[in-house]
Amino acid sequence: MNQTSVGMNSLWKVFTTTIGKKAVMAATGGVLLLFVIAHMAGNLQMFLGWGDINNYADLLKSHREFLWPFRVFLATCLVLHVSTGSFLAIDNRRKRGHSYEVKKLVGASFASQTMWISGLIIFCFIVYHLLHFTLGVTNPEYLTFRDAHDRPDVYRMIVTAFSTAGTVCLYALGVATLGFHLSHGVRAMVESLGLRMETWASRIDKTSLVVACLLFLGFASVPLAVLMGLLQLK
Amino acid sequence: MKLTVRVWRQKNARREGRFAEYEVQDASPDMSFLEMLDVLNERLIRQGEEPIHFDSDCREGICGMCSCVINGEAHGPESQVTTCQTYMRSFKDGDVITVEPFRAMAFPLIKDLVVDRSALDRIIQAGGFISVTTGSAPEANSIPVSKYHSDLAMDAAACIGCGACVAACKNASANLFVAAKVAHLNLLPQGGPEKDPRVLGMVEAMTSEGFGACSVTGSCEAVCPKGIPTSFISRMNHNFLTAALKLRVHGPRG
Ligand code: HEM
Ligand code: FES
C-alpha cells in the first residue's frame, strides 16, 4: 500500500487555516452568545421583585463547585475569542498589501467592518462590569448589602448603582456595543460554522438583527427602569 | 462625453507607482469601459507615451480576465457585470474616474492595472482531479443527480475566476472564489469520491497563498459579476470542517 494522506493530517493543521480560525471565533462567540442570553434572562428577574433576583443570585453563588468551573470555561472562551480575533484583525489587514485610493463600502454593513473595535469596547466594558459588581473594586459597599434572609442583596445593589445617570449611560453604551457586535456576529457565526446555506441565508441575517436588538433591549431595560423609577427600594 | 481618468501607473513591481491624470474628450456612452481605455491608449501611443496596461480577453463577460477597481468598486458601478461589460453610460459627462488595480498581497502587481492572479490557478490545482472514466460518453441517465443539486452546482460553476471577490474584500479573502470552485464539483456525484481531500487541499492552498480570512461582510457577493452568493462560503465551511474532523483523509494521489 502506498497511500499518502492528503490535506489535514493532524487536527492542529485545521487551525492554521483561515476557516479553522474562524471556526474558533464562531464556537467561542457562540458560547459567549449563549451566556449573554442566559445572563439577560437572569437580569430580567429584577422585574419580578426583590425576592426573586436575590433567590436566583443565591442559587448561583451557593454552587461553587459549578460556578468556578463555569467561570474558568467562560474566561477561556473569552481569551480564545479575543486572541484569535485580534490575530485575524491584524493579519487580515496585512492581506490587502497596498490600500485603495478610493475607499467605498460595497455590500457590507458598518458593523461587519468594525468587529475588532466593537469587540475591544466590549472587552473594556466587561472588565469594568466585573470590577463594578462582581469583584466590588469600584464600589466595595455593594458586597456588604444583605437582605432579610442574610443573603447578598443584589436587588439593592442594582437599584443603588443605576440611580446615577452616568452609570446608566455607561451600561447602555456597553450593551449597545454588544448588540452592534452581534448584529453582524450572529450571522457570521452561523456562516463560519457552515450552517448558513441557500434559502436559510436571508432568514439567518434577519434573525441576527432581531437577536441583537432583543439583547440590547433586555439588558438596557433594567438600568433604564431603575433610572425612571420603575424599580425602587421598597 | 468628457471625462477625467485617474489611472494607477506603475512600471513594474519594484518601482513606485502613482496616479496619472488623463483628459478623455471623445468618449461615447456606448463604449465599454475598456474601449474608452483603448481610445485613450491610442492617443497615448500617438503621442509617443507608454499605453496603460490592463487585462482583457473575451470582452463579453465570460473569461474573467478583465479586472480594475473603478471608483472604489471592483468591476465598476453596475452590479453583476465585469469591467468589459461596463459601459460609459454608467458615468456622467465631466466625471472624474479613478481606476486602480485589484489590490491583494496574493495578487502581485505586474504593471499598471495588471496583476498576477495565478494564485487562483494554484488553488484549483490543489483541488486535484475527479475520477471519471474517459472514453466513450456514458449513458446520460446512468448517474442520477437531483435537480436541486445540479442547479446549485451550475450556479457555483458560473464563477469566471476573475478575483473581484478578493479585490473587494476588506481582508483580500478568496473564500467566495474557492467556495464556488469547491461547490461545483463537491455537489455533483462525479466529484463525490474526492470531496474531502479536494476541500482540504484547496483551503490549505488558499491560506498559504496569502489570502485573508472571511469576515462575512458580503462585499464579495456584491461585486461578483456572476452574483454568486456567500451561502456557498458556508457550504465550503461545512465541507471543510466535516472533512477535517474525519482527519486523515486518504486521497487519490499516491
Ligand atoms: C460577550 C461578548 C462577545 C460576544 C457574545 C461575541 C460574539 C461574537 C460572535 C458570535 C462572532 C461571530 C463569529 C464569526 O465571525 O464566526 C464574533 C466575532 C468577532 N468578535 Fe466577538 N464577541 C464578544 C466579545 C468580543 C471581544 C471582547 C472581542 C475583542 C477583540 C471580540 C472580537 C471579535 C472579532 C474581531 C470578531 C470578528 C472576527 C472576524 O470576522 O474576522 N469579540 N463575536
Ligand atoms: S474580458 Fe473576459 S470577462 Fe471581461
Side-chain angles (χ1 to χ4, degrees):
Chain A
M1 289 285 282
N2 183 26
Q3 275 195 326
T4 45
S5 66
V6 176
M8 310 288 133
N9 42 25
S10 85
L11 196 57
W12 190 246
K13 256 184 121 175
V14 172
F15 300 109
T16 62
T17 67
T18 51
I19 296 182
K21 290 198 176 74
K22 282 302 307 245
V24 172
M25 286 309 284
T28 54
V31 169
L32 296 172
L33 172 67
L34 290 178
F35 169 73
V36 293
I37 291 172
H39 189 351
M40 180 199 70
N43 292 1
L44 290 176
Q45 294 179 63
M46 278 296 287
F47 291 106
L48 298 178
W50 208 305
D52 289 88
I53 188 86
N54 285 5
N55 255 341
Y56 171 66
D58 192 48
L59 181 81
L60 295 183
K61 292 213 170 172
S62 58
H63 290 87
R64 299 185 55 192
E65 65 277 27
F66 295 121
L67 187 63
W68 275 100
F70 182 70
R71 282 178 169 170
V72 170
F73 172 64
L74 210 55
T76 310
C77 286
L78 186 66
V79 168
L80 277 175
H81 191 78
V82 173
S83 52
T84 313
S86 303
F87 173 85
L88 284 174
I90 294 164
D91 193 53
N92 285 340
R93 190 168 283 238
R94 271 186 35 233
K95 296 291 161 66
R96 168 99 300 134
H98 195 292
S99 63
Y100 286 113
E101 166 95 347
V102 182
K103 294 182 181 69
K104 191 165 176 185
L105 194 56
V106 184
S109 69
F110 182 56
S112 73
Q113 308 290 303
T114 49
M115 289 298 274
W116 196 35
I117 299 163
S118 59
L120 288 178
I121 296 173
I122 297 169
F123 185 76
C124 296
F125 175 68
I126 294 172
V127 172
Y128 165 72
H129 177 55
L130 291 177
L131 295 176
H132 187 206
F133 283 147
T134 313
L135 301 170
V137 174
T138 57
N139 300 66
E141 71 278 10
Y142 289 170
L143 299 189
T144 64
F145 293 169
R146 293 264 144 187
D147 69 3
H149 305 279
D150 197 33
R151 299 175 305 192
D153 196 346
V154 173
Y155 188 91
R156 176 185 295 278
M157 171 174 89
I158 289 176
V159 174
T160 313
F162 293 135
S163 306
T164 31
T167 313
V168 174
C169 277
L170 216 62
Y171 273 80
L173 274 177
V175 294
T177 313
L178 179 66
F180 185 67
H181 193 76
L182 288 174
S183 66
H184 178 70
V186 175
R187 63 184 284 272
M189 172 186 75
V190 180
E191 172 93 347
S192 303
L193 294 176
L195 300 169
R196 186 179 162 277
M197 285 191 245
E198 289 93 56
T199 47
W200 283 98
S202 63
R203 289 178 214 164
I204 287 161
D205 293 355
K206 283 176 205 137
T207 310
S208 188
L209 281 177
V210 172
V211 169
C213 290
L214 288 180
L215 273 170
F216 167 69
L217 292 175
F219 274 120
S221 64
V222 173
L224 287 175
V226 173
L227 194 66
M228 293 189 305
L230 299 174
L231 293 172
Q232 293 174 333
L233 295 177
K234 267 176 271 178
Chain B
M1 296 172 83
K2 279 189 191 172
L3 301 160
T4 307
V5 186
R6 297 177 66 228
V7 185
W8 183 260
R9 302 299 311 258
Q10 185 171 343
K11 209 169 175 62
N12 57 46
R14 288 176 306 278
R15 296 284 193 84
E16 288 276 303
R18 61 176 178 87
F19 280 97
E21 226 174 85
Y22 304 98
E23 301 297 326
V24 177
Q25 310 286 350
D26 41 4
S28 135
D30 297 330
M31 284 177 175
S32 78
F33 193 82
L34 298 183
E35 284 163 345
M36 183 275 292
L37 289 181
D38 289 338
V39 168
L40 173 58
N41 270 347
E42 276 166 18
R43 195 188 84 205
L44 291 179
I45 292 166
R46 274 199 307 277
Q47 293 170 348
E49 286 180 48
E50 179 86 8
I52 301 159
H53 290 248
F54 60 86
D55 266 327
S56 80
D57 190 7
C58 72
R59 297 209 173 191
E60 54 183 13
I62 55 170
C63 75
M65 201 58 202
C66 57
S67 56
C68 300
V69 171
I70 305 164
N71 286 341
E73 286 186 73
H75 289 310
E78 303 295 333
S79 71
Q80 299 200 16
V81 289
T82 51
T83 295
C84 62
Q85 292 291 297
T86 297
Y87 290 87
M88 296 317 292
R89 53 179 171 268
S90 300
F91 301 89
K92 289 194 308 293
D93 194 38
D95 271 2
V96 179
I97 305 174
T98 304
V99 194
E100 300 174 73
F102 280 3
R103 299 285 193 192
M105 226 173 68
F107 290 165
L109 191 136
I110 298 172
K111 188 168 189 167
D112 296 343
L113 303 171
V114 180
V115 297
D116 178 359
R117 284 169 282 178
S118 50
L120 299 182
D121 301 329
R122 290 190 292 273
I123 296 174
I124 302 261
Q125 281 164 17
F129 48 78
I130 62 167
S131 300
V132 287
T133 320
T134 53
S136 58
E139 206 285 307
N141 293 324
S142 59
I143 304 175
V145 187
S146 77
K147 168 106 171 76
Y148 183 72
H149 285 107
S150 81
D151 282 356
L152 213 52
M154 287 305 283
D155 288 349
C159 169
I160 55 175
C162 61
C165 44
V166 177
C169 173
K170 77 175 174 66
N171 307 338
S173 165
N175 272 38
L176 191 62
F177 164 80
V178 183
K181 297 301 174 195
V182 166
H184 98 241
L185 292 177
N186 279 18
L187 279 165
L188 294 175
Q190 288 86 344
E194 298 85 15
K195 194 165 167 278
D196 290 345
R198 175 176 305 115
V199 67
L200 294 174
M202 290 175 82
V203 168
E204 224 187 324
M206 146 182 122
T207 304
S208 59
E209 288 291 346
F211 294 101
C214 171
S215 287
V216 204
T217 68
S219 295
C220 54
E221 178 179 328
V223 300
C224 176
K226 301 299 156 184
I228 293 172
T230 50
S231 49
F232 278 115
I233 297 178
S234 203
R235 189 168 267 286
M236 167 175 69
N237 292 342
H238 188 276
N239 272 187
F240 174 79
L241 293 172
T242 48
L245 284 176
K246 295 181 201 161
L247 282 181
R248 293 181 66 86
V249 180
H250 294 287
R253 277 167 250 162

